[in-house]
Amino acid sequence: MPVKMNQSVVVLFLLLLGLMLVCVSEASVHEYKGDKFVSKGNAFVVHGGSEGIYSSFSDAHVNETAANNGDSYIRFSKITFRRSIDNSNFSSGLIQTLVFEVEDRETIGGSAYGGQRAVCCTADLSKLGVCTQGEVIHRPSTKDPSWPQVFGIKFEVDEVEATLPSNSIQITKTGMYNLYFIHCDLNLKDLVVEGKSIWKNPTGYLPGRMAPLMNFYGFMSLAFVILGLFWFSQYARFWREVLHLQNCITLVITLGMFEMALWYFEYAEFNETGVRPMGITAWAVTFGTVKRTVARVIILMVAMGYGVVRPTLGGLTSKVIMLGGTFFLASEVLELVENVGAVSDLSGKARLFLVLPVAILDTFFILWIFTSLSSTLNKLQARRMMTKLDIYRKFTNALAVAVIVSVGWICYELYFKSNDIYNEKWQNAWIIPAFWQILSFSLLCVICALWAPSQNSMRYAYSEDVNEEFDKDETSLTLIKPSPMASKDVRSVPEPRPVQSNNGVLNGDLEEDKRE
């Protein structure tokens, strides 16, 4: 019956996945759907995109249509500017398209006599002869005089639309490129832009930051397959001895395999077509969030001794479920916002009000886990359950190392982002998300090694014979100790003294080992 139910769930999942694949979102193809210009200083600006792009290969086959033809470019397709009919009775100033590499950012804008820096040329700067009033201030790059790339168009009288001629900019230098649409005309406050720009790297349409992640998720998929083969082979050999905890670990491994495979295919599809499949992205995010939530809940339950030194969680069950559910919702929203439909190649822009809840819930998980582990270790030591105590100590050490490494990496991540305001280190930014995947996989491998199915698995299971009782106060998890009986009518039964065998081992310890 459970096998049939699992098959039904898989079939239902595949059907839902197929329906989700119908919905797609353009990503490396940056689409503009009536984007309004925003006032920035003395200019009006629309940010058209930012991506890391590698230079074209020297032997690029420009005429080939394949995504991996070695050619890099930024191409403009049907870029149209629209203004209202009420404001169409005059000819406008230039609406300029500005493309520059981040190292050339200082060539954009200027100031007269050391005053406030402006993007649009002012009357004072025009008098100095350094720019044309009403246009974007820019100077040739010292490394390549043809950059930044600036071209524009303007409205004639009674025109409500102005379409930019199709243009393609070849990328001959690796860098972080930025695209802006800018105008300096105060009479064009209601101006909007439509159309799209297509950004391409030599090996495909993946943005430069994401390109290494495709191969990374390919390797991670292989790593999960190897781990799965080991775990499932042990599971099949000793299925009669399998614990409930080991079933939960099986679920985490399965979710991880799905997550890594979905991320790989998502990046491969995106790289080939330039269109990001929203359905695959959403499923990859959801599988990852479910995996992280289930993993945290399982670790917390193990820390509390569930299935090993206690049969149930008692009154804490609802609290654990509530914490897990809240973490899933917060993480799912954050991951969907950061990944589904993500366009520009920018890091560290996640909204603070979405990041904070996840961080707080993670902290709460860590505190609760280590508090419960401390109580469980004390219980095992007091009961002299040495086999279980040994595995719990190894588990605690692995968690402690993971937390210490996590804190260290968070500090490095903050340092990395604080020193990379303009995303100049985009080629190494993929390491940050990759590290968290490697760390969680390493911890999963440790857990699999500690609790791998074997012929002795049942010695780690809870047994009523060993009198493993916890205090009803679930937060402290203290031992119940019988109070002394003062009644004269009841004879106190003398405690039997353990008899020491010839080899020096107490019979009580032998009985404990047998029960374990």
Side-chain angles (χ1 to χ4, degrees), residues 243 305-311 388 458 460-469:
L243 305 175
Y306 172 72
V308 179
V309 295
R310 57 187 301 129
K388 295 178 181 179
M458 295 307 296
Y460 302 126
Y462 170 80
S463 174
E464 295 181 358
D465 296 336
V466 296
N467 192 27
E468 297 167 321
E469 297 179 12

Side-chain angles (χ1 to χ4, degrees), residues 202-222:
T203 57
Y205 292 98
L206 270 177
R209 178 195 304 276
M210 298 181 182
L213 288 174
M214 184 176 72
N215 293 330
F216 170 76
Y217 282 115
F219 285 118
M220 287 301 298
S221 298
L222 179 61

Side-chain angles (χ1 to χ4, degrees), residues 240-496:
R240 295 181 183 274
E241 306 292 327
V242 169
L243 305 175
H244 181 62
L245 170 62
Q246 292 165 335
N247 289 329
C248 295
I249 295 173
T250 304
L251 174 62
V252 174
I253 295 174
T254 305
L255 290 171
M257 294 173 70
F258 271 98
E259 181 194 10
M260 295 301 112
L262 285 170
W263 276 123
Y264 175 76
F265 287 118
E266 194 264 354
Y267 281 120
E269 176 73 11
F270 182 12
N271 188 60
E272 182 65 26
T273 64
V275 177
R276 191 166 192 176
M278 185 181 293
I280 299 181
T281 308
W283 277 113
V285 165
T286 302
F287 268 96
T289 305
V290 172
K291 184 196 75 174
R292 289 190 295 274
T293 303
V294 172
R296 282 163 174 76
V297 170
I298 290 174
I299 290 174
L300 178 58
M301 292 167 61
V302 172
M304 292 177 173
Y306 172 72
V308 179
V309 295
R310 57 187 301 129
T312 66
L313 297 180
L316 289 177
T317 303
S318 58
K319 296 179 181 178
V320 172
I321 294 174
M322 184 180 298
L323 178 61
T326 306
F327 178 83
F328 170 79
L329 291 176
S331 298
E332 181 75 357
V333 172
L334 174 62
E335 294 296 325
L336 287 174
V337 169
E338 286 188 329
N339 292 283
V340 177
V343 178
S344 293
D345 208 3
L346 294 171
S347 65
K349 302 298 182 182
R351 293 160 179 80
L352 186 61
F353 69 92
L354 292 177
V355 175
L356 277 178
V358 178
I360 293 172
L361 291 169
D362 251 334
T363 303
F364 194 81
F365 260 117
I366 292 172
L367 293 176
W368 200 357
I369 286 170
F370 279 97
T371 301
S372 301
L373 272 175
S374 176
S375 178
T376 303
L377 286 171
N378 290 336
K379 167 69 176 179
L380 293 172
Q381 191 166 9
R383 291 290 183 180
R384 304 191 67 177
M385 303 173 187
M386 304 312 296
T387 304
K388 295 178 181 179
L389 180 62
D390 180 62
I391 197 171
Y392 262 82
R393 281 176 174 168
K394 293 177 180 177
F395 178 60
T396 303
N397 292 337
L399 284 180
V401 170
V403 170
I404 292 172
V405 173
S406 298
V407 172
W409 189 255
I410 289 172
C411 293
Y412 170 76
E413 188 174 342
L414 293 173
Y415 169 79
F416 181 90
K417 291 181 178 180
S418 63
N419 287 275
D420 189 32
I421 301 174
Y422 300 104
N423 299 292
E424 296 176 272
K425 301 177 181 178
W426 57 274
Q427 290 173 280
N428 299 322
W430 68 275
I431 299 174
I432 291 176
F435 172 83
W436 293 113
Q437 294 287 358
I438 293 174
L439 180 63
S440 61
F441 179 76
S442 301
L443 184 59
L444 179 60
C445 288
V446 172
I447 293 174
C448 289
L450 291 176
W451 273 284
S454 66
Q455 60 184 0
N456 298 321
S457 293
M458 295 307 296
R459 65 178 177 174
Y460 302 126
Y462 170 80
S463 174
E464 295 181 358
D465 296 336
V466 296
N467 192 27
E468 297 167 321
E469 297 179 12
F470 281 79
D471 192 355
K472 293 181 180 180
D473 182 4
E474 302 290 350
T475 58
S476 61
L477 298 178
T478 55
L479 285 171
I480 295 179
K481 296 182 179 180
S483 57
M485 303 179 66
S487 175
K488 296 181 180 179
D489 297 333
V490 181
R491 293 184 180 180
S492 60
V493 180
E495 183 179 356

